Structures are given as C-alpha cells and as structure tokens.
Amino acid sequence: MKLLVTGGAGYVGSVNAAHLVEAGHEVVVLDDLSTGHADAVPEGARFVQGELSEAAGPLLAEGFDGVLHFAAKSLVGESVAKPELYWNGNVVATFRLLEAIREHGTPRLVFSSTAACYGEPEEVPIREDAPTRPTNPYGAGKLAIDTMITSYANAHGLAAVSLRYFNVAGAHGRFGERHAVETHLIPIVLQVASGSRESVAMYGDDWPTPDGTCVRDYIHVDDLAEAHQLALQKAEPSTHAIYNLGSGTGYSVQQVVEACRAITGHAIPAAVAPRRAGDPAVLIASAERAADQLGWKPSRSLQDMVGDAWRFTRERAQA
Ligand code: UDP
C-alpha cells in the first residue's frame, strides 16, 4: 500500500514507519520536525518536511491507500497551561487532514488515540465502552478527534480505526524515544542509570495500590506497530473501530524502577515526591476487543521494553 505517515519522525511514528517499510509498503513521512528528528525517518521512506494543515492536502492529491496519523502535541501539562496549542495543533490540524482525506478519497485512516480519552476510570481494566471523561485538554482534544472520525466514517465511507494507547515504551533498532522534554517514567529512570540525571522522583507512595505507587499498563512500541498493521488490514469502509492497546497487566512505579535496576545493574536512587496533579491511581487496559477483532496479542514483556530502551539509550550516548 502507499501510505502517508504523519509524525513519522517522532517516537511512535518513526517506529511504525520503520515497520511499514520493512513490511514492503511505500511510505511517505510528513513531519514538521517541531519535536521529531529528520534522522529518525527510516531509510526507504520518502520524507516531506511540512505542516500537517498545509502539506497533507497536496500530498494526498497524489493518491494514497491510507493515512497513519501520529503527528500531535502530547504533553499533558503543557495542554493544561496552553490549551490553544492543543486545539489548534491537534484538533484543527486533524480536521484539515480529514477534509483532505475526504477531498481526495483516501480510503483508510489509522489514528493515534490515547487512554487519556477515558480520564479517571470507574473500573479497571478499562473497556472501550467505558465513559470518556478526559481530565485535560490533551485527552479532550484526542476524544474530539475520535468523534470527528466517527462522523467522517459514517458520512463519507472512510475506513477508520482509532488505537487508544496506554503507556508506550521500548525501542526498535535505532528508533526510540528522544523527547527534548522527557516526562515519561521509563526514559527518566534510564537517564539516571546512564548518568544524565541524579535520581528519580516517584510521584506519590500513598495511592490505593499494593505498594502505594501508581500502576500503569506498559506496552512495547513493536507490539503497538503490529497492531497498526492489523488495523490497516482490517479497517472496513464506513466503520470507525476503536481499540485499546495495552497488555491488560499493570506495573507500579516501584516495580518499573526495580525492573530498570535489574536490567541496568545501576542502583538508581529514587525518592518519593508529591503526587503529580491529574494522575489516576491505576490505568489498565482491557485488551479483549483488540484480541477478538484484530487478532492482536502483545508478546513483549516489561523486561523487553526496559531492555530495548536501555540498549537504545546506551547506543545514543555512544553516537
Ligand atoms: N512517574 C513518576 N516519576 C516520573 C515520571 C512518571 O513517578 O518522573 C509516574 C507517574 O506518576 C505515573 C507513571 O509514572 O504514575 C507513568 O507516568 P508517565 O508520565 O510515563 O505516563 P502517563 O501514565 O502519565 O501517561
């Protein structure tokens, strides 16, 4: 298939672009490099540097079989402080992308959605029919986009899939997490192991969880990429399917720090810090719908995620 990958110079986008090239697809990456890296675009993909709102239309006029839409701003705290960046950069830009898809008759869309659509859960594991009550503009914007996509599938025949990621981690070869502002737990813990940070702040140890630290559902970026390929194959016209992507198993912050200690052999000092505003105690996906309908089962463990992220961190430090 000829595929447009927006945000293909970022973390999840570049890993997906690499998988798609490896699977033999013709891949065009569109990225404005606001947070991505030109050298993260895989060999074999064509790279177009440009704004989503401006560049997607002229590109789609060439004729594409599908779009995988990763380009987004993704810092929850920033979305609270500067919501305008998120309504414009995520929601307005994606509306323009949908209009270009409609105008040029692009048949398929796979969208990078998020567990943040659900907000504080009433029940875990979280199913796709759980209430959607996002607690910040980042999640609210992603949910607004999911709502737009449903309406385009219904009205204009688009074959669409939204994948709601839980906590993505790990690396694929030379493709991994290289955020200028790092907020995610595993890369932060590995920065301590590699000597670029003194210690880890664990945000709260008085949560209602077995060890008092927050529990999350971590998913390897390679498992995630496999789900995108299945979504692309199984997308049906006039249908918007929504799947949670998680393993169905949770690990606490303490367990993640311990896994990182075991894999790196580094003591990794960790200190308890105040709770971070907006963090739910436990987020775990129900992975049943993706298993039943996509035939997707994640196969990589927390140790695989930490091991691959650690290899990636060390290789970048040596480069
Ligand atoms: N966390 C932490 N210290 C950090 C970064 C994150 O204790 O320096 C915790 C955070 O409170 C959450 C978990 O690690 O419970 C995962 O956070 P992350 O930001 O990686 O992902 P999120 O679940 O917020 O999407």
Side-chain angles (χ1 to χ4, degrees), residues 278-303:
D279 267 343
V282 179
L283 289 178
I284 297 174
S286 161
E288 273 176 35
R289 187 188 281 182
D292 292 348
Q293 296 181 19
L294 287 180
W296 177 76
K297 273 226 183 306
S299 64
R300 287 128 180 129
S301 66
L302 179 66
Q303 282 67 28

Side-chain angles (χ1 to χ4, degrees), residues 214-218 247-252 255 282-285 302:
C214 283
V215 170
R216 294 290 181 272
D217 185 339
Y218 294 87
S247 67
T249 305
Y251 290 97
S252 71
Q255 286 176 308
V282 179
L283 289 178
I284 297 174
L302 179 66

Side-chain angles (χ1 to χ4, degrees), residues 166-167 183-186 188 197 200-204 214-216 218 253 276 279-280 283:
F166 280 64
N167 290 63
T183 60
H184 291 131
L185 180 64
I186 291 175
I188 285 177
R197 186 186 284 262
V200 184
M202 297 197 296
Y203 299 142
C214 283
V215 170
R216 294 290 181 272
Y218 294 87
V253 171
R276 184 171 67 177
D279 267 343
L283 289 178

Side-chain angles (χ1 to χ4, degrees), residues 23-319:
H25 295 289
E26 182 183 348
V27 174
V28 179
V29 166
L30 171 62
D31 199 297
D32 65 3
L33 298 185
S34 56
T35 54
H37 306 272
D39 65 0
V41 176
E43 277 135 42
R46 182 175 135 211
F47 176 46
V48 176
Q49 185 178 348
E51 292 281 333
L52 183 61
S53 298
E54 313 284 312
L59 269 174
L60 290 180
E62 289 177 12
F64 277 80
D65 298 300
V67 177
L68 290 98
H69 179 34
F70 301 97
K73 300 186 79 64
S74 61
L75 297 171
V76 169
E78 183 185 58
S79 82
V80 175
K82 297 179 183 167
E84 60 280 8
L85 297 182
Y86 284 72
W87 294 109
N88 189 47
N90 291 357
V91 180
V92 174
T94 304
F95 169 64
R96 300 236 163 87
L97 173 66
L98 280 168
E99 279 294 86
I101 284 172
R102 180 167 73 93
E103 185 182 347
H104 301 293
T106 314
R108 295 175 194 82
L109 172 68
V110 179
F111 174 58
S112 229
S113 188
T114 171
C117 288
Y118 300 110
E120 179 87 41
E122 266 169 24
E123 272 179 33
V124 288
I126 302 172
R127 291 158 42 109
E128 290 83 352
D129 57 8
T132 43
R133 291 182 298 226
T135 53
N136 51 65
Y138 167 69
K142 289 278 184 172
L143 181 60
I145 294 169
D146 277 344
T147 311
M148 280 197 287
I149 293 174
T150 304
S151 69
Y152 273 65
N154 290 341
H156 303 307
L158 184 65
V161 179
S162 286
L163 299 174
R164 292 190 172 155
Y165 310 162
F166 280 64
N167 290 63
V168 187
H172 174 76
R174 66 180 190 82
F175 306 99
E177 220 164 342
R178 295 161 64 185
H179 296 129
V181 184
E182 193 50 76
T183 60
H184 291 131
L185 180 64
I186 291 175
I188 285 177
V189 177
L190 294 179
Q191 284 175 357
V192 180
S194 67
S196 59
R197 186 186 284 262
E198 289 279 301
S199 73
V200 184
M202 297 197 296
Y203 299 142
D205 68 349
D206 54 355
W207 296 93
T209 61
D211 67 20
T213 63
C214 283
V215 170
R216 294 290 181 272
D217 185 339
Y218 294 87
I219 186 80
H220 196 295
V221 69
D222 280 332
D223 282 319
L224 202 77
E226 288 169 8
H228 284 73
Q229 297 213 27
L230 290 167
L232 202 58
Q233 287 160 19
K234 304 230 164 162
E236 288 185 20
S238 301
T239 305
H240 180 207
I242 297 179
Y243 300 103
N244 289 341
L245 296 186
S247 67
T249 305
Y251 290 97
S252 71
V253 171
Q254 183 74 50
Q255 286 176 308
V256 169
V257 172
E258 272 156 22
C260 292
R261 285 180 181 137
I263 281 165
T264 63
H266 190 286
I268 310 185
V272 177
R275 290 181 175 192
R276 184 171 67 177
D279 267 343
V282 179
L283 289 178
I284 297 174
S286 161
E288 273 176 35
R289 187 188 281 182
D292 292 348
Q293 296 181 19
L294 287 180
W296 177 76
K297 273 226 183 306
S299 64
R300 287 128 180 129
S301 66
L302 179 66
Q303 282 67 28
D304 294 331
M305 292 177 233
V306 172
D308 287 343
W310 178 231
R311 175 195 48 72
F312 175 79
T313 305
R314 278 183 306 165
E315 284 171 7
R316 289 216 47 88
Q318 283 159 10

